[in-house]
């Protein structure tokens, strides 16, 4: 803990791993949203068939980085030494959670929210929604990478499916082309794909709304509580004039 001006004290909360995860997550999601939107409205914009395959391939490469970064964060939540990086400080659960949630909401309404060094109870609800959506996007995206552009981790399986395992067809198979596929098998594969593209499509819009809500909530909390919420994702520390309620739990 470092002394700052007056009676404000800086408390370390987010270690470098969390901060790197957060900003790589932001950048990859922005990239995925941008390329995904062009894929979605490709017809209206006049993207050619080859252009669409290229965009899907680029989207998948950004997606791999997004998935690796997300996997790293999910593992870190089990093994991190910093208690604020662990599931116990993230999930909206555990003894006394509903009481702390009520206290935080009524405190915020009354103009005095309890000061949290880690995530406050409302932020935990938001994080549960965000992580669930990110997982849905990652899993459905990895399946679509296989069904649409025959890319890993499942591309070889889907290529095998649509060609019936014919080595000659497999060697000539191209993403976005139906030339070397067995049409009946291809139709079956597309039927299998349907729930995954629907999940990815609707997940995209819900995630977009959740991201906007997350940013708005962070800005509002920063303006009301003035604990350096935004700068903490760069510096790693928040500042308080009194001891946060979740310190030395
Ligand atoms: C936050 C994460 C993600 C967002 C916001 C996102 C967004 C989108 C959007 C808007 C589309 C167009 C949907 C449509 O055409 O109906 C799309 C398609 C696609 N996404 Fe993602 N995506 C994400 C993650 C991923 C990941 C991790 C992968 C794979 C590694 C992936 C692979 C694909 C593929 C292959 C398609 C083409 C499917 C198609 O439209 O035919 N996505 N994505």
């Amino acid at each position: 803990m470092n002394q700052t001006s007056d009676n404000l004290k800086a408390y370390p909360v987010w270690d470098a791993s969390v901060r790197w995860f957060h900003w790589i997550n932001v950048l990859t999601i922005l990239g995925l949203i941008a390329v995904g939107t062009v894929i979605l409205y490709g017809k209206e914009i006049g993207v050619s068939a080859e252009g669409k395959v290229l965009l899907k391939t680029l989207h998948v490469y950004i997606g791999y980085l997004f998935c690796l970064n997300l996997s790293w964060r999910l593992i870190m939540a089990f093994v991190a030494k910093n208690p604020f990086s662990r599931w116990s400080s993230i999930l909206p659960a555990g003894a006394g959670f509903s009481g702390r949630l009520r206290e935080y909401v009524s405190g915020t309404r009354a103009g005095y929210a309890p000061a949290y060094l880690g995530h406050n109870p409302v932020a935990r609800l938001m994080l549960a929604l965000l992580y669930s959506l990110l997982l849905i996007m990652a899993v459905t995206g990895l399946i679509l990478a296989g069904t649409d552009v025959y890319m890993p981790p499942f591309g070889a399986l889907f290529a095998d499916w649509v060609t019936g395992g014919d080595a000659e067809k497999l060697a000539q198979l191209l993403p976005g082309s139906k030339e070397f596929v067995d049409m009946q098998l291809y139709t079956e594969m597309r039927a299998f794909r349907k729930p995954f593209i629907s999940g990815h499509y609707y997940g995209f819009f819900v995630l977009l709304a959740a991201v906007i809500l997350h940013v708005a909530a962070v800005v509002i909390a920063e303006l009301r509580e003035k604990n350096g919420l935004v700068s903490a994702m760069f510096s790693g520390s928040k500042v308080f004039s009194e001891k946060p309620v979740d310190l030395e739990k």
Side-chain angles (χ1 to χ4, degrees):
M1 168 201 334
N2 302 312
Q3 203 79 29
T4 62
S5 63
D6 302 330
N7 59 348
L8 285 180
K9 283 177 189 162
Y11 296 80
V13 56
W14 310 130
D15 51 39
S17 306
V18 169
R19 286 178 271 148
W20 274 103
F21 159 75
H22 181 267
W23 294 117
I24 293 173
N25 194 44
V26 169
L27 291 179
T28 49
I29 289 178
L30 286 179
L32 289 165
I33 287 176
V35 182
T37 304
V38 181
I39 296 173
L40 195 53
Y41 297 106
K43 234 181 231 155
E44 291 81 347
I45 304 169
V47 177
S48 65
E50 299 83 44
K52 205 160 179 184
V53 172
L54 213 66
L55 285 168
K56 286 185 186 182
T57 308
L58 171 65
H59 186 82
V60 169
Y61 279 121
I62 305 173
Y64 288 153
L65 183 56
F66 162 80
C67 287
L68 280 176
N69 191 47
L70 181 62
S71 309
W72 160 240
R73 180 66 188 94
L74 298 182
I75 293 169
M76 215 162 57
F78 287 105
V79 301
K81 285 204 181 92
N82 179 357
F84 293 106
S85 303
R86 297 178 66 94
W87 287 124
S88 54
S89 297
I90 298 171
L91 296 176
F97 175 76
S98 54
R100 276 179 277 128
L101 178 63
R102 273 196 302 274
E103 187 191 20
Y104 183 81
V105 172
S106 58
T108 303
R109 282 201 184 129
Y112 180 80
Y116 278 86
L117 177 55
H119 303 297
N120 68 52
V122 175
R124 285 181 186 229
L125 289 172
M126 187 73 222
L127 284 179
L129 173 69
L130 280 171
Y131 276 123
S132 306
L133 289 168
L134 295 186
L135 263 177
I136 289 172
M137 295 310 284
V139 171
T140 52
L142 288 173
I143 304 267
L144 293 172
T147 59
D148 282 55
V149 272
Y150 306 121
M151 284 174 73
F154 306 112
L157 287 175
F158 289 112
D160 213 49
W161 185 348
V162 296
T163 55
D166 182 319
E168 236 170 74
K169 286 181 179 169
L170 260 175
Q172 300 175 83
L173 184 68
L174 285 173
S177 159
K178 294 191 192 99
E179 202 177 343
F180 297 101
V181 304
D182 175 315
M183 252 348 264
Q184 193 193 326
L185 295 173
Y186 184 77
T187 311
E188 281 172 18
M189 185 276 271
R190 297 298 277 191
F192 168 85
R193 170 189 181 270
K194 216 164 184 175
F196 297 100
I197 186 67
S198 298
H200 207 69
Y201 175 81
Y202 291 111
F204 165 66
F205 290 106
V206 181
L207 179 65
L208 213 54
V211 166
I212 292 168
L213 197 63
H214 168 65
V215 174
V218 165
V219 170
I220 291 167
E222 171 79 312
L223 292 176
R224 289 174 74 123
E225 297 168 17
K226 300 190 173 66
N227 298 130
L229 191 59
V230 177
S231 59
M233 241 344 138
F234 294 98
S235 69
S237 303
K238 291 186 191 173
V239 288
F240 296 89
S241 55
E242 60 192 65
K243 195 173 163 189
V245 293
D246 55 341
L247 202 62
E248 287 157 16
K249 287 169 280 180

